[in-house]
Amino acid sequence: MLNLEDVESAYGESLVLQRVSLSVEAGEVVALLGRNGAGKTTTLRSIMGLLRPRSGSITFDGTDLVGMPAHRIARQGLSYVPDDRRIFAELTVEENLELARRAARREGEWDLNRVYKLFPVLKDYIRRGGMQLSGGEQKMLATGRALIQNPRMLLLDEASEGLAPKIVQQFVEVVREISATGITVLLADQNLKFARRVADRGYIMDKGVIEHSDDIEAIWADEQIVRRYLSV
């Protein structure tokens, strides 16, 4: 469904991604693992057209995404939940969701009611401003905003970062439910325990390079790999 081959991306003269290759099959949940600064966010931004790669190819269901503007990539069926959430502070919860729905121009089963069913707390706060929410609630809103675009594939950046254990557990159930509806998921996270509970496979990044890939349970069981690339 998604294929990256030899992707190199940079910020100015600073090369971040170095010949990154990975693939995600339809229906999978795949984890992109690594410490902060490994290149995970840059990979997702490159996929979404927020950063144009210097070289390499990115295809989604056979469509070349390199050079395509982000709004057109979203209309192909890709939705992105950034690590900094990007909530519109001046808009209410419902306005944030409605704006995303209108911009996507994609019909499907995800509407306001479906999002509120997945995140009941958002329904209680529909008139509350985006910046009046807690960090966990903002992450719920950002995820709901991505889902209401009715994507075929969801990119989740640091879904568990900075969240209380209770909210992390809730996001485990959220990712499982999203996957059960048929949406393919690529999540970037440094939390292997979280990834193990939701992902099928994993890629490990370090300094902009894919250093290892395997089934998520095999990664979990490999103490040397975990210690080298994921331990803090």
Side-chain angles (χ1 to χ4, degrees):
M1 190 174 200
L2 177 71
N3 190 67
L4 280 67
E5 187 170 345
D6 293 334
V7 173
E8 295 199 340
S9 293
Y11 295 101
E13 296 303 313
S14 178
L15 184 64
V16 178
L17 301 186
Q18 303 178 53
R19 300 180 66 85
V20 168
S21 297
L22 61 84
S23 62
V24 183
E25 299 294 333
E28 282 191 304
V29 179
V30 174
L32 185 59
L33 301 162
R35 299 185 181 97
N36 282 337
K40 305 186 302 297
T41 293
T42 301
T43 301
L44 299 190
R45 286 176 55 82
S46 297
I47 294 169
M48 282 304 302
L50 300 170
L51 178 65
R52 182 167 183 166
R54 282 186 175 180
S55 60
S57 67
I58 302 174
T59 57
F60 180 65
D61 256 6
T63 299
D64 183 6
L65 301 184
V66 175
M68 188 180 292
H71 70 276
R72 285 187 56 203
I73 291 175
R75 289 172 187 167
Q76 296 292 317
L78 279 160
S79 283
Y80 176 42
V81 182
D83 58 344
D84 57 1
R85 301 181 288 274
R86 299 292 179 92
I87 300 302
F88 292 109
E90 69 278 10
L91 301 183
T92 66
V93 166
E94 189 160 83
E95 287 168 343
N96 268 276
L97 292 170
E98 181 62 17
L99 183 62
R101 185 191 68 79
R102 292 183 182 183
R105 301 181 188 175
R106 290 179 57 85
E107 299 299 324
E109 62 187 65
W110 286 95
D111 56 15
L112 285 172
N113 288 333
R114 184 73 183 268
V115 170
Y116 292 150
K117 184 177 180 181
L118 185 65
F119 298 115
V121 67
L122 296 182
K123 188 172 184 180
D124 295 335
Y125 296 154
I126 57 174
R127 301 289 177 244
R128 185 169 293 189
M131 289 299 108
Q132 294 177 298
L133 304 176
S134 69
E137 291 161 353
Q138 287 183 27
K139 194 151 288 190
M140 294 176 195
L141 177 55
T143 305
R145 192 174 56 184
L147 290 171
I148 208 168
Q149 298 175 52
N150 281 288
R152 297 162 59 206
M153 184 171 186
L154 186 66
L155 308 181
L156 282 172
D157 197 0
E158 301 291 358
S160 69
E161 185 179 34
L163 300 183
K166 182 178 179 180
I167 305 299
V168 172
Q169 173 57 35
Q170 185 174 352
F171 266 87
V172 168
E173 300 304 323
V174 163
V175 175
R176 288 174 177 172
E177 184 168 341
I178 291 169
S179 177
T181 67
I183 296 174
T184 304
V185 179
L186 174 62
L187 63 92
D189 214 294
Q190 58 181 316
N191 186 339
L192 178 58
K193 289 183 179 179
F194 171 74
R196 183 194 182 201
R197 299 172 71 183
V198 296
D200 305 301
R201 297 188 294 116
Y203 291 88
I204 297 178
M205 293 195 79
D206 186 52
K207 298 177 182 177
V209 177
I210 299 290
E211 294 285 1
H212 186 73
S213 65
D214 211 331
D215 292 339
I216 200 71
E217 287 298 329
I219 291 174
W220 174 264
D222 193 327
E223 294 183 6
Q224 182 176 351
I225 288 291
V226 172
R227 185 167 55 251
R228 182 173 182 180
Y229 295 114
L230 299 175
S231 295
V232 178

